[in-house]
Short mmCIF file of all heavy atoms in Angstrom, two decimals:
data_model
loop_
_atom_site.label_atom_id
_atom_site.label_comp_id
_atom_site.label_asym_id
_atom_site.label_seq_id
_atom_site.Cartn_x
_atom_site.Cartn_y
_atom_site.Cartn_z
N GLY A 103 104.70 258.27 239.02
CA GLY A 103 105.71 259.23 238.62
C GLY A 103 106.36 259.85 239.78
O GLY A 103 107.63 260.03 239.86
N LEU A 104 105.59 260.17 240.77
CA LEU A 104 106.16 260.88 241.98
C LEU A 104 107.06 259.87 242.80
O LEU A 104 108.09 260.20 243.26
CB LEU A 104 105.06 261.47 242.86
CG LEU A 104 104.34 262.69 242.33
CD1 LEU A 104 103.17 263.08 243.17
CD2 LEU A 104 105.29 263.82 242.10
N LEU A 105 106.51 258.66 242.94
CA LEU A 105 107.28 257.64 243.75
C LEU A 105 108.59 257.39 243.06
O LEU A 105 109.62 257.30 243.72
CB LEU A 105 106.42 256.36 243.90
CG LEU A 105 105.32 256.44 244.95
CD1 LEU A 105 104.62 255.03 244.92
CD2 LEU A 105 105.81 256.73 246.28
N LEU A 106 108.56 257.25 241.78
CA LEU A 106 109.82 256.95 241.08
C LEU A 106 110.79 258.23 241.11
O LEU A 106 112.01 258.00 241.23
CB LEU A 106 109.56 256.52 239.67
CG LEU A 106 108.98 255.12 239.52
CD1 LEU A 106 108.69 254.84 238.03
CD2 LEU A 106 109.92 254.07 240.09
N SER A 107 110.19 259.34 240.98
CA SER A 107 111.06 260.57 240.94
C SER A 107 111.69 260.95 242.24
O SER A 107 112.80 261.36 242.38
CB SER A 107 110.31 261.75 240.39
OG SER A 107 109.62 261.44 239.26
N TYR A 108 110.75 260.88 243.31
CA TYR A 108 111.20 261.40 244.59
C TYR A 108 111.19 260.29 245.71
O TYR A 108 111.60 260.52 246.83
CB TYR A 108 110.23 262.53 245.03
CG TYR A 108 110.22 263.71 244.13
CD1 TYR A 108 109.14 263.91 243.34
CD2 TYR A 108 111.31 264.60 244.10
CE1 TYR A 108 109.12 265.06 242.44
CE2 TYR A 108 111.32 265.66 243.31
CZ TYR A 108 110.22 265.96 242.50
OH TYR A 108 110.23 267.01 241.61
N GLY A 109 110.64 259.11 245.42
CA GLY A 109 110.48 258.12 246.40
C GLY A 109 109.44 258.48 247.48
O GLY A 109 109.43 257.93 248.55
N ASN A 110 108.59 259.39 247.11
CA ASN A 110 107.70 259.99 248.12
C ASN A 110 106.56 260.66 247.36
O ASN A 110 106.80 261.38 246.34
CB ASN A 110 108.54 261.03 248.93
CG ASN A 110 107.77 261.42 250.21
OD1 ASN A 110 106.56 261.31 250.27
ND2 ASN A 110 108.51 261.96 251.14
N LEU A 111 105.34 260.58 247.89
CA LEU A 111 104.26 261.27 247.21
C LEU A 111 104.16 262.81 247.57
O LEU A 111 103.62 263.56 246.76
CB LEU A 111 102.91 260.63 247.67
CG LEU A 111 102.68 259.23 247.06
CD1 LEU A 111 101.44 258.64 247.66
CD2 LEU A 111 102.65 259.21 245.58
N THR A 112 104.71 263.14 248.70
CA THR A 112 104.73 264.53 249.04
C THR A 112 106.13 264.96 249.35
O THR A 112 106.57 265.10 250.55
CB THR A 112 103.78 264.80 250.25
OG1 THR A 112 104.16 263.86 251.27
CG2 THR A 112 102.35 264.73 249.94
N PRO A 113 106.99 265.06 248.35
CA PRO A 113 108.40 265.30 248.55
C PRO A 113 108.63 266.67 249.23
O PRO A 113 107.77 267.58 249.12
CB PRO A 113 109.00 265.30 247.15
CG PRO A 113 107.90 265.56 246.30
CD PRO A 113 106.68 264.99 246.94
N SER A 114 109.72 266.82 249.92
CA SER A 114 110.01 268.12 250.51
C SER A 114 110.28 269.10 249.36
O SER A 114 110.60 268.65 248.28
CB SER A 114 111.24 268.03 251.39
OG SER A 114 112.33 267.88 250.60
N LEU A 115 110.15 270.35 249.67
CA LEU A 115 110.18 271.31 248.63
C LEU A 115 111.61 271.46 248.06
O LEU A 115 111.82 271.95 247.00
CB LEU A 115 109.75 272.72 249.10
CG LEU A 115 108.33 272.73 249.70
CD1 LEU A 115 107.93 274.10 250.14
CD2 LEU A 115 107.32 272.19 248.65
N THR A 116 112.61 270.94 248.78
CA THR A 116 113.98 271.03 248.34
C THR A 116 114.37 269.72 247.58
O THR A 116 115.52 269.65 247.05
CB THR A 116 114.93 271.15 249.50
OG1 THR A 116 114.72 270.15 250.43
CG2 THR A 116 114.72 272.50 250.18
N ALA A 117 113.48 268.70 247.57
CA ALA A 117 113.90 267.45 247.00
C ALA A 117 114.25 267.52 245.47
O ALA A 117 113.62 268.33 244.75
CB ALA A 117 112.78 266.39 247.13
N THR A 118 115.23 266.81 245.09
CA THR A 118 115.57 266.83 243.62
C THR A 118 115.24 265.43 243.05
O THR A 118 115.38 264.47 243.76
CB THR A 118 117.14 267.03 243.41
OG1 THR A 118 117.86 266.18 244.32
CG2 THR A 118 117.44 268.53 243.65
N PRO A 119 114.70 265.47 241.86
CA PRO A 119 114.23 264.18 241.27
C PRO A 119 115.37 263.24 241.06
O PRO A 119 116.54 263.69 240.79
CB PRO A 119 113.59 264.58 239.98
CG PRO A 119 114.02 265.98 239.71
CD PRO A 119 114.37 266.56 240.97
N ALA A 120 115.09 261.90 241.18
CA ALA A 120 116.08 260.89 240.92
C ALA A 120 116.60 260.96 239.45
O ALA A 120 115.92 261.37 238.56
CB ALA A 120 115.50 259.56 241.19
N GLU A 121 117.80 260.48 239.30
CA GLU A 121 118.36 260.48 237.91
C GLU A 121 117.98 259.18 237.24
O GLU A 121 118.74 258.20 237.27
CB GLU A 121 119.90 260.66 237.93
CG GLU A 121 120.36 261.86 238.83
CD GLU A 121 121.07 262.93 237.87
OE1 GLU A 121 121.54 262.54 236.88
OE2 GLU A 121 120.99 264.04 238.30
N ASP A 182 100.07 269.56 247.01
CA ASP A 182 101.32 270.35 247.01
C ASP A 182 101.03 271.69 247.60
O ASP A 182 100.19 272.37 247.05
CB ASP A 182 101.78 270.50 245.60
CG ASP A 182 103.14 271.35 245.47
OD1 ASP A 182 103.47 271.95 246.51
OD2 ASP A 182 103.65 271.34 244.35
N ARG A 184 102.34 274.39 247.39
CA ARG A 184 102.58 275.49 246.52
C ARG A 184 101.46 275.64 245.48
O ARG A 184 101.42 276.60 244.65
CB ARG A 184 103.91 275.29 245.79
CG ARG A 184 105.08 275.44 246.68
CD ARG A 184 106.33 274.85 245.96
NE ARG A 184 106.16 273.44 245.68
CZ ARG A 184 107.15 272.72 245.13
NH1 ARG A 184 108.28 273.22 244.81
NH2 ARG A 184 106.90 271.45 244.98
N PHE A 192 101.70 267.16 243.75
CA PHE A 192 102.99 267.58 243.31
C PHE A 192 103.09 267.25 241.82
O PHE A 192 102.42 266.40 241.31
CB PHE A 192 104.11 266.88 244.13
CG PHE A 192 104.31 267.44 245.49
CD1 PHE A 192 103.50 267.17 246.53
CD2 PHE A 192 105.38 268.34 245.72
CE1 PHE A 192 103.68 267.70 247.73
CE2 PHE A 192 105.57 268.91 246.92
CZ PHE A 192 104.72 268.62 247.97
N ALA A 193 104.02 268.00 241.18
CA ALA A 193 104.14 267.84 239.73
C ALA A 193 105.18 266.83 239.37
O ALA A 193 106.22 266.68 240.06
CB ALA A 193 104.45 269.18 239.12
N ILE A 194 104.96 266.16 238.32
CA ILE A 194 106.00 265.25 237.82
C ILE A 194 107.13 266.13 237.21
O ILE A 194 106.84 267.09 236.50
CB ILE A 194 105.40 264.36 236.67
CG1 ILE A 194 104.34 263.43 237.25
CG2 ILE A 194 106.45 263.57 235.92
CD1 ILE A 194 103.37 262.89 236.30
N PRO A 195 108.37 265.82 237.50
CA PRO A 195 109.47 266.66 237.06
C PRO A 195 109.48 266.80 235.55
O PRO A 195 109.23 265.87 234.79
CB PRO A 195 110.70 265.91 237.54
CG PRO A 195 110.24 265.02 238.60
CD PRO A 195 108.87 264.69 238.32
N GLU A 196 109.78 268.03 235.10
CA GLU A 196 109.72 268.37 233.63
C GLU A 196 110.39 267.36 232.75
O GLU A 196 109.83 266.91 231.79
CB GLU A 196 110.35 269.76 233.54
CG GLU A 196 110.35 270.33 232.11
CD GLU A 196 108.98 270.67 231.63
OE1 GLU A 196 108.16 271.11 232.47
OE2 GLU A 196 108.77 270.54 230.40
N PRO A 197 111.63 266.83 233.08
CA PRO A 197 112.30 265.97 232.17
C PRO A 197 111.54 264.66 231.95
O PRO A 197 111.82 263.96 230.96
CB PRO A 197 113.69 265.68 232.78
CG PRO A 197 113.76 266.56 234.02
CD PRO A 197 112.40 267.23 234.25
N PHE A 198 110.72 264.24 232.92
CA PHE A 198 110.03 262.98 232.83
C PHE A 198 108.67 263.10 232.05
O PHE A 198 107.98 262.11 231.95
CB PHE A 198 109.79 262.36 234.21
CG PHE A 198 111.09 262.13 234.94
CD1 PHE A 198 111.12 262.19 236.34
CD2 PHE A 198 112.28 261.86 234.23
CE1 PHE A 198 112.29 261.92 237.03
CE2 PHE A 198 113.47 261.65 234.98
CZ PHE A 198 113.47 261.73 236.31
N MET C 1 119.07 273.85 247.95
CA MET C 1 119.10 274.65 246.72
C MET C 1 117.78 275.30 246.38
O MET C 1 117.60 276.46 246.20
CB MET C 1 119.58 273.70 245.53
CG MET C 1 119.75 274.46 244.23
SD MET C 1 119.87 273.27 242.89
CE MET C 1 119.00 274.12 241.64
N GLU C 2 116.78 274.44 246.45
CA GLU C 2 115.43 274.87 246.15
C GLU C 2 115.06 275.96 247.23
O GLU C 2 114.45 276.94 246.87
CB GLU C 2 114.59 273.62 246.38
CG GLU C 2 113.11 273.62 246.12
CD GLU C 2 112.65 274.15 244.83
OE1 GLU C 2 113.31 273.97 243.78
OE2 GLU C 2 111.57 274.78 244.81
N PHE C 3 115.54 275.79 248.48
CA PHE C 3 115.22 276.73 249.46
C PHE C 3 115.79 278.15 249.20
O PHE C 3 115.12 279.14 249.34
CB PHE C 3 115.78 276.25 250.83
CG PHE C 3 115.48 277.22 251.95
CD1 PHE C 3 114.19 277.46 252.38
CD2 PHE C 3 116.51 277.82 252.62
CE1 PHE C 3 113.96 278.36 253.40
CE2 PHE C 3 116.32 278.76 253.59
CZ PHE C 3 115.02 278.98 254.11
N ARG C 4 117.03 278.14 248.68
CA ARG C 4 117.67 279.44 248.35
C ARG C 4 116.84 280.06 247.28
O ARG C 4 116.61 281.29 247.31
CB ARG C 4 119.08 279.19 247.85
CG ARG C 4 120.10 279.96 248.79
CD ARG C 4 121.48 279.81 248.15
NE ARG C 4 121.88 278.40 247.97
CZ ARG C 4 122.52 278.03 246.81
NH1 ARG C 4 122.83 278.91 245.88
NH2 ARG C 4 122.84 276.76 246.65
N ILE C 5 116.43 279.34 246.29
CA ILE C 5 115.63 279.95 245.21
C ILE C 5 114.37 280.54 245.81
O ILE C 5 114.02 281.66 245.43
CB ILE C 5 115.24 278.85 244.19
CG1 ILE C 5 116.54 278.40 243.47
CG2 ILE C 5 114.26 279.38 243.17
CD1 ILE C 5 116.34 277.26 242.51
N ARG C 6 113.75 279.87 246.75
CA ARG C 6 112.48 280.31 247.23
C ARG C 6 112.74 281.61 247.97
O ARG C 6 111.91 282.58 247.90
CB ARG C 6 111.86 279.29 248.11
CG ARG C 6 111.12 278.21 247.33
CD ARG C 6 110.58 277.19 248.22
NE ARG C 6 109.54 277.71 249.13
CZ ARG C 6 108.33 277.96 248.79
NH1 ARG C 6 107.90 277.73 247.55
NH2 ARG C 6 107.50 278.49 249.67
N ARG C 9 113.15 284.38 245.61
CA ARG C 9 111.87 284.61 244.94
C ARG C 9 111.03 285.58 245.79
O ARG C 9 110.46 286.53 245.28
CB ARG C 9 111.15 283.29 244.80
CG ARG C 9 109.86 283.42 244.00
CD ARG C 9 109.09 282.14 244.25
NE ARG C 9 109.81 280.94 243.83
CZ ARG C 9 109.59 279.78 244.31
NH1 ARG C 9 108.73 279.62 245.21
NH2 ARG C 9 110.29 278.68 243.90
#
Side-chain angles (χ1 to χ4, degrees):
Chain A
L104 289 176
L105 282 181
L106 287 177
S107 313
Y108 298 108
N110 193 339
L111 289 175
T112 50
S114 72
L115 302 182
T116 55
T118 46
E121 308 246 335
D182 178 350
R184 289 165 299 183
F192 279 80
I194 294 158
E196 182 68 34
F198 300 151
Chain C
M1 184 194 144
E2 184 52 37
F3 179 65
R4 239 185 308 137
I5 292 175
R6 280 177 62 80
R9 184 195 305 154

